[in-house]
Amino acid sequence: MRTIDTAASVGAATDVASAGTAETPLGRIVAGFHDMIAGFRCAGTGRLVKAGVSMTHMHVMWLLQHHGDLPMSRMAELLDVSLSNATGIVDRMEERGLVERVRVPDDRRVVLVRIAAGGVQALEETEAIKQDRLLAILGQLDRAQLDRLATALDDIRAAVVAEFGQDYLSGHDHHLISRSQGRD
């Protein structure tokens, strides 16, 4: 697990040991992000899990959404499981209509895993639930609070780019597209 030098990252002489406690601003922020992300994750996936879509299935669909079609060997690598375990996972997902296997026309020996219509629908439902929750939460804030939050998020986004590079935030445009469709 990576540890963070908060003094260097935040630019303040914050004691690393106390940075993770709720008594410090940094600790409050980290705990707040953690709690909110966990809550959104639960809200967005709870209904799907009840419908038989496991968290492993969600993870596979998120990987396919992010990376596109993947060979089974790469899927196993990203899941950190054996090829036979990945095959079993994909078999169960294919039975539920979440993914499909496709052969590469130029080399029929290569089989790719692709997200299917049912998987796209499951991901869109998850995102819609999270989006609705977030809009309801933000609806509790007044204009001044929303302006401060927007400015703070701009600052966080800039810090993410400074830490990980400009490309870190790219490649997730599919979230923006899916959120904007029919939700204006």
Side-chain angles (χ1 to χ4, degrees):
M1 175 181 240
R2 179 179 175 215
T3 58
I4 299 173
D5 178 358
T6 56
S9 298
V10 177
T14 305
D15 179 18
V16 175
S18 67
T21 65
E23 293 84 39
T24 66
L26 186 58
R28 287 176 46 218
I29 292 166
V30 169
F33 269 114
H34 175 75
D35 292 345
M36 286 184 287
I37 290 169
F40 285 135
R41 187 180 305 130
C42 288
T45 58
R47 185 172 15 161
L48 294 173
V49 170
K50 288 178 185 174
V53 178
S54 73
M55 290 307 295
T56 300
H57 296 167
M58 291 300 299
H59 184 64
V60 168
M61 291 185 294
W62 285 323
L63 288 171
L64 292 170
Q65 184 182 46
H66 179 72
H67 295 285
D69 301 353
L70 291 172
M72 188 63 75
S73 58
R74 179 71 175 135
M75 177 66 67
E77 181 183 318
L78 289 169
L79 293 172
D80 195 26
V81 299
S82 69
L83 187 57
S84 63
N85 282 347
T87 299
I89 291 167
V90 170
D91 285 345
R92 288 184 292 282
M93 293 180 72
E94 195 170 33
E95 289 170 7
R96 291 182 170 96
L98 301 172
V99 298
E100 59 189 7
R101 288 182 172 97
V102 293
R103 295 204 179 271
V104 175
D106 296 344
D107 186 351
R108 306 258 321 141
R109 295 170 296 172
V110 178
V111 177
L112 299 176
V113 180
R114 171 182 295 159
I115 193 162
V120 171
Q121 181 181 350
L123 290 175
E124 286 176 353
E125 285 179 28
T126 301
E127 287 303 314
I129 292 167
K130 291 189 288 187
Q131 177 100 1
D132 290 345
R133 277 261 168 106
L134 184 56
L135 289 171
I137 291 165
L138 294 174
Q140 302 294 317
L141 303 178
D142 65 29
R143 180 62 188 211
Q145 291 170 315
L146 290 171
D147 288 341
R148 286 195 314 267
L149 179 58
T151 300
L153 287 174
D154 289 342
D155 292 343
I156 291 170
R157 190 174 292 108
V160 167
V161 169
E163 178 70 17
F164 298 112
Q166 185 66 41
D167 292 340
Y168 186 78
L169 293 177
S170 66
H172 296 279
D173 295 339
H174 52 270
H175 296 296
L176 298 174
I177 293 167
S178 124
R179 277 186 260 171
S180 65
Q181 290 175 344
R183 304 194 61 81
D184 292 302

